[in-house]
């Protein structure tokens, strides 16, 4: 039974007496959020494996998931290319979303994207057992990265469209799942490394893990039409699905209009919020002081109001993607070979970054500082450019120009802590401030613009990573 077909049987009273339904919907969207960012995180976390495969034929040492002091030279610039080819599809499909919404039905977009990602990850897992020379392996892997992230971009946009019809609580759960995808990938890598099996089996188990995650995401999506709470909202979807996607992104960041205090997007409470959609005959009358929604806002007018905040968002992601993971994944421990040097980069680079980034994003649930009118915001954003030389001067053995000034592991860990927290906080802060700078009816356009500039910042950072690596 489709979502629309079963919606008529779900009444407001049914939902109030079915608490399990809305909890299951929340769990489903959390898992779907996790699934949208699993591909990117699993690829960048496995950079040592790919570098080992590209160094020569697969053997007992090449293709391991761990990095060590004898890490092969990255002659293919894998770190840079995997970052660039992951972010360019996001920028491209952000621009193409309007055409996709008109031409392809939503179930086809969501299920088709999930199945495509599943098949491509299955191919990546199968290649672990295939002995292949570096150049064709590099070509197949880059094609897979580009295709996987293209489908992931379509998937993410389509799910945001669905979330536009749901209470904002479910959008928050979806974003929480996305935020934990990196931590999940890092933990999966550590478990594969600590399993004690050979390099091939460890890598195979690592790449099978996201396949299982995508399968669970497919099950969650297919289960939504069977849940009364989901049917009640999703069947009342407006005709403009793309507008709902953009409105959702803006709604997550709205402020309390009465006192100007931002609502807390990360504080989640699953309750059957039935106010956004009413049963026929139950629509409330408009409040006397409730303003009528004006006509379609001007993109240019909205851009003039949020251009500085949008520029700050671009600069934050430009700095982050210019060194992470292209430079940071090359940093090794300065201690003697051993367990710590083997686990140093997975823990101190990927796991630490994702945990602290998630913590930084959560801080905006409690305070927003500085505000949109403060000159401190662009200053703090520009100060993050200091992380570029700091990471480039850490213990990266593969260098020919710059010296190593921060050889001790403590330096890299400290830099990564500040780098990740500032990234998460400033990204969340700028996305929260943008809707506060415009009128309520302009928030949808503001959300669209901020989404575009987010993708632009990711692409700019990925492009700059080639330059910074060449300067090492």
């Amino acid at each position: 039974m489709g979502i629309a077909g079963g919606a008529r049987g779900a009444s407001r009273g049914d939902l109030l007496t079915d608490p399990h339904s809305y909890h299951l919907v929340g769990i489903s969207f959390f898992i779907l959020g996790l699934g949208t960012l699993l591909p990117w995180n699993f690829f960048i976390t496995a950079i040592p494996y790919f570098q080992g495969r590209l160094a020569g034929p697969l053997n007992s040492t090449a293709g391991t998931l761990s990095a060590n002091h004898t890490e092969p030279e990255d002659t293919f610039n894998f770190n840079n290319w995997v970052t660039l080819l992951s972010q360019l599809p996001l920028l491209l499909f952000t621009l193409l979303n309007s055409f996709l919404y008109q031409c392809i039905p939503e179930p086809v977009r969501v299920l088709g994207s999930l199945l495509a990602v599943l098949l491509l990850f299955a191919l990546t897992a199968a290649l672990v057992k295939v002995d292949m020379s570096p150049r064709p392996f590099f070509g197949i892997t880059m094609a897979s990265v580009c295709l996987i992230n293209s489908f992931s971009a379509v998937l993410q946009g389509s799910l945001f469209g669905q979330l536009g019809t749901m209470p904002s609580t479910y959008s928050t759960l979806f974003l929480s799942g996305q935020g934990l995808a990196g931590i999940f990938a890092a933990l999966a890598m550590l478990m594969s490394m600590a399993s004690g099996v050979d390099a091939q089996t460890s890598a195979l188990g690592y790449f099978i893990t996201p396949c299982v995650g995508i399968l669970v995401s497919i099950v969650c999506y297919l289960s939504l039409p069977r849940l009364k709470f989901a049917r009640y909202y999703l069947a009342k979807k407006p005709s403009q699905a793309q507008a709902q996607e953009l409105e959702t992104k803006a709604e997550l960041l709205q402020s309390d209009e009465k006192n100007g205090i931002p609502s807390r997007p990360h504080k989640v409470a699953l309750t059957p919020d039935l106010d956004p959609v009413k049963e026929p005959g139950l629509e409330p009358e408009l409040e006397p002081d409730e303003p009528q929604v004006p006509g379609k806002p001007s993109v240019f007018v909205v851009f003039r109001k949020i251009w500085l905040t949008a520029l700050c968002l671009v600069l934050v992601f430009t700095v982050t993607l210019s060194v992470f993971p292209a430079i940071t994944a090359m940093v090794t421990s300065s201690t003697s070979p051993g367990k710590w040097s083997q686990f140093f980069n997975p823990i101190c680079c990927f796991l630490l970054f994702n945990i602290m980034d998630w913590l930084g994003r959560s801080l905006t649930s409690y305070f927003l500082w500085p505000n949109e009118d403060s000159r401190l915001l662009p200053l703090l954003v520009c100060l993050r450019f200091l992380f570029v030389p700091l990471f480039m001067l850490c213990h990266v053995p593969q260098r020919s120009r710059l010296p190593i000034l921060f050889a001790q592991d403590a330096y890299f860990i400290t830099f990564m802590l500040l780098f990740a927290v500032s990234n998460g906080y400033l990204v969340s802060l700028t996305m929260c401030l943008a809707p506060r700078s415009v009128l309520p009816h302009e928030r949808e356009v503001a959300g669209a613009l901020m989404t575009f500039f987010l993708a632009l910042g990711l692409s700019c950072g990925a492009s700059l990573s080639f330059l910074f690596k060449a300067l090492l």
Side-chain angles (χ1 to χ4, degrees):
M1 179 185 296
I3 291 178
R8 297 176 182 175
S11 67
R12 193 171 191 267
D14 292 336
L15 297 179
L16 289 173
T17 58
D18 186 17
H20 299 292
S21 180
Y22 57 81
H23 281 293
L24 291 174
V25 172
I27 294 171
S28 296
F29 276 114
F30 177 85
I31 294 175
L32 285 168
L34 185 72
T36 57
L37 290 189
L38 278 183
W40 153 252
N41 284 286
F42 266 81
F43 265 105
I44 65 168
T45 307
I47 281 178
Y49 158 77
F50 289 110
Q51 289 179 337
R53 287 293 304 267
L54 295 172
L58 193 66
N59 51 49
S60 60
T61 57
T64 180
L65 283 171
S66 61
N68 49 52
H69 289 271
T70 60
E71 184 179 346
E73 185 178 355
D74 188 13
T75 56
F76 287 87
N77 286 323
F78 181 86
N79 299 13
N80 306 78
W81 281 111
V82 74
T83 305
L84 182 64
L85 293 180
S86 296
Q87 304 310 323
L88 283 181
L90 176 62
L91 179 61
L92 176 63
F93 281 93
T94 298
L95 298 174
L96 293 179
N97 261 347
S98 57
F99 301 101
L100 294 175
Y101 273 106
Q102 297 172 2
C103 302
I104 306 175
E106 181 184 273
V108 175
R109 281 184 273 116
V110 174
L111 289 176
S113 297
L114 285 169
L115 290 173
V117 171
L118 175 62
L119 291 175
L120 289 166
F121 251 113
L123 173 64
T124 303
L127 287 178
V128 171
K129 293 291 187 178
V130 178
D131 192 0
M132 185 180 297
S133 58
R135 191 165 298 278
F137 178 78
F138 177 78
I140 294 175
T141 302
M142 289 300 103
S144 297
V145 167
C146 189
L147 290 173
I148 284 176
N149 284 278
S150 298
F151 286 113
S152 295
V154 175
L155 173 65
Q156 182 174 237
S158 301
L159 290 174
F160 268 122
Q162 274 201 336
L163 287 164
T165 65
M166 304 289 294
S168 59
T169 296
Y170 298 93
S171 301
T172 304
L173 285 168
F174 181 82
L175 293 180
S176 298
Q178 287 188 321
L180 292 178
I183 299 175
F184 184 81
L187 290 175
M189 182 183 190
L190 291 172
M191 292 176 64
S192 297
M193 293 170 56
S195 61
V197 298
D198 60 274
Q200 276 194 354
T201 305
S202 175
L204 182 62
Y206 175 80
F207 285 112
I208 287 178
T209 303
C211 294
V212 176
I214 298 300
L215 280 174
V216 175
S217 298
I218 293 174
V219 172
C220 288
Y221 180 76
L222 292 175
S223 69
L224 288 177
R226 301 179 179 275
L227 300 174
K228 293 180 181 179
F229 193 83
R231 290 201 305 269
Y232 181 83
Y233 282 97
L234 298 179
K236 300 175 182 294
K237 188 181 307 180
S239 59
Q240 294 294 333
Q242 183 188 18
Q244 286 298 313
E245 173 199 347
L246 303 177
E247 187 177 357
T248 301
K249 295 175 181 178
E251 178 187 309
L252 291 173
L253 314 166
Q254 286 179 3
S255 305
D256 185 342
E257 297 174 15
K258 295 181 180 179
N259 52 26
I261 299 176
S263 56
R264 298 185 173 186
H266 295 281
K267 189 163 287 188
V268 178
L270 281 179
T271 57
D273 181 6
L274 303 177
D275 292 334
V277 182
K278 300 293 184 182
E279 287 292 303
L282 297 178
E283 292 83 354
E285 296 182 0
L286 292 175
E287 295 294 334
D289 58 345
E290 182 176 346
Q292 297 297 319
V293 179
K296 185 177 181 181
S298 168
V299 174
F300 180 71
V301 171
V302 175
F303 175 73
R304 283 195 306 173
K305 295 179 180 180
I306 67 168
W307 72 269
L308 184 59
T309 307
L311 178 61
C312 289
L313 180 64
V314 171
L315 294 179
V316 170
F317 275 120
T318 297
V319 171
T320 300
L321 269 290
S322 65
V323 292
F324 179 87
I327 304 298
T328 58
M330 300 172 63
V331 178
T332 61
S333 174
S334 59
T335 61
S336 57
K339 284 292 183 182
W340 171 244
S341 62
Q342 180 184 3
F343 286 90
F344 171 77
N345 202 268
I347 294 176
C348 298
C349 178
F350 294 104
L351 183 60
L352 184 61
F353 174 86
N354 284 290
I355 291 177
M356 300 311 296
D357 176 74
W358 176 78
L359 177 61
R361 292 170 189 260
S362 300
L363 290 177
T364 55
S365 299
Y366 304 99
F367 59 87
L368 293 180
W369 179 89
N371 59 40
E372 62 268 27
D373 299 321
S374 175
R375 295 174 181 254
L376 284 175
L377 178 59
L379 176 62
L380 292 174
V381 170
C382 291
L383 283 176
R384 292 192 78 247
F385 278 93
L386 293 175
F387 286 114
V388 175
L390 290 178
F391 281 123
M392 293 176 68
L393 296 174
C394 284
H395 190 261
V396 180
Q398 303 170 20
R399 62 176 65 239
S400 57
R401 294 178 178 85
L402 298 178
I404 297 177
L405 297 184
F406 306 108
Q408 288 78 13
D409 298 350
Y411 283 116
F412 178 75
I413 295 173
T414 303
F415 298 156
M416 183 57 70
L417 283 170
L418 298 174
F419 177 72
V421 169
S422 62
N423 177 78
Y425 180 73
L426 290 174
V427 166
S428 186
L429 177 65
T430 53
M431 293 294 287
C432 286
L433 293 181
R436 293 177 47 159
S437 304
V438 299
L439 298 175
H441 74 282
E442 296 174 330
R443 287 173 179 165
E444 181 180 319
V445 175
L449 289 174
M450 292 299 286
T451 302
F452 169 76
F453 283 108
L454 184 152
L456 180 62
L458 293 171
S459 300
C460 290
S463 302
L464 276 179
S465 66
F466 287 89
L467 172 63
F468 294 149
K469 186 175 180 180
L471 293 176
L472 281 176

